[in-house]
């Protein structure tokens, strides 16, 4: 796991973050610090101990769309992970939670969502990562490239 993580000022100074209780803010910082290279956190007991966080703090992060609803096995996903962090390809290590990642979509603001019908979707996260996690090509072009490839693969079947 990496020793350093980034937290964007855009997130940390946003009203949805500033208005939270200090324990909820600290919880968010520790979740980001302990996330894998895809922004997933699988074990939160130590984080809860260090921050004195309880379910109400997680609920506040969910309410403010800073994390996604945890999976049944307790994996949390940092919503704005890729908006805040850039992991170089040569050191990137894919998450061990591939079944969770397979359920996610990447939006044009590089935030995760579980809703495939949400507007501004680039593609499924798995596809986006396999294409190199491109943040330089405009998201609209990436979305079009995904649709073209998807249509091509549908036509050959």
């Amino acid at each position: 796991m990496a020793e350093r993580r980034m937290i964007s000022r855009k997130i940390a100074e946003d009203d949805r973050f500033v208005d939270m209780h200090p324990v909820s803010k600290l919880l968010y910082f520790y979740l980001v610090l302990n996330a894998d290279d895809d922004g997933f956190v699988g074990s939160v007991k130590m984080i809860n101990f260090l921050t004195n966080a309880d379910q109400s703090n997680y609920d506040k992060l969910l309410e403010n769309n800073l994390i996604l609803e945890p999976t049944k096995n307790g994996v949390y996903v940092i919503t704005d992970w890729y908006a805040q962090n850039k992991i170089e390809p040569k050191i990137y290590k894919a998450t061990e939670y591939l079944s969770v990642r397979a359920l996610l979509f990447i939006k044009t603001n590089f935030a995760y969502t579980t809703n495939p019908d949400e507007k501004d979707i680039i593609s499924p996260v798995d596809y986006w990562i396999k294409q190199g996690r491109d943040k330089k090509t405009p998201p609209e072009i990436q979305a079009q490239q995904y649709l073209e490839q998807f249509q091509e693969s549908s036509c050959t079947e």
Side-chain angles (χ1 to χ4, degrees):
M1 183 182 307
E3 293 295 316
R4 297 179 188 160
R5 295 295 188 205
M6 298 294 292
I7 296 177
S8 167
R9 283 182 58 197
K10 186 177 178 182
I11 302 291
E13 294 176 356
D14 188 274
D15 287 348
R16 65 185 173 149
F17 190 83
V18 171
D19 291 342
M20 288 192 306
H21 187 275
V23 172
S24 298
K25 293 177 193 176
L26 185 61
L27 172 60
Y28 182 75
F29 286 135
Y30 267 93
L31 288 170
V32 169
L33 184 64
N34 286 279
D36 65 20
D37 287 353
D38 286 321
F40 298 5
V41 185
S43 179
V44 296
K45 285 185 181 183
M46 179 57 80
I47 294 171
N48 293 343
F49 174 75
L50 292 170
T51 62
N52 202 27
D54 60 25
Q55 188 58 47
S56 68
N57 302 114
Y58 285 93
D59 292 343
K60 195 64 174 171
L61 294 178
L62 282 163
E63 178 185 320
N64 288 326
N65 200 31
L66 293 167
I67 61 174
L68 297 178
E69 190 73 39
T71 63
K72 290 178 185 150
N73 55 351
V75 176
Y76 289 86
V77 178
I78 309 296
T79 307
D80 296 308
W81 180 256
Y82 280 111
Q84 300 184 84
N85 287 277
K86 178 173 180 4
I87 315 293
E88 292 298 321
K90 61 185 172 192
I91 62 170
Y92 167 75
K93 184 175 187 269
T95 187
E96 65 183 76
Y97 305 108
L98 296 176
S99 61
V100 176
R101 193 176 80 183
L103 302 173
L104 300 176
F105 297 86
I106 195 85
K107 295 169 44 175
T108 55
N109 64 356
F110 302 107
Y112 286 128
T113 184
T114 55
N115 182 356
D117 298 323
E118 199 166 320
K119 67 178 190 165
D120 300 329
I121 298 285
I122 293 176
S123 69
V125 170
D126 279 346
Y127 175 84
W128 186 72
I129 288 174
K130 288 175 185 165
Q131 298 303 309
R133 300 173 299 140
D134 183 4
K135 289 171 72 176
K136 292 180 182 172
T137 304
E140 299 78 19
I141 292 174
Q142 291 185 56
Q144 185 61 39
Q145 290 169 341
Y146 169 72
L147 290 174
E148 288 170 3
Q149 181 161 343
F150 181 74
Q151 289 170 343
E152 286 174 16
S153 65
S154 295
C155 292
T156 59
E157 291 178 3

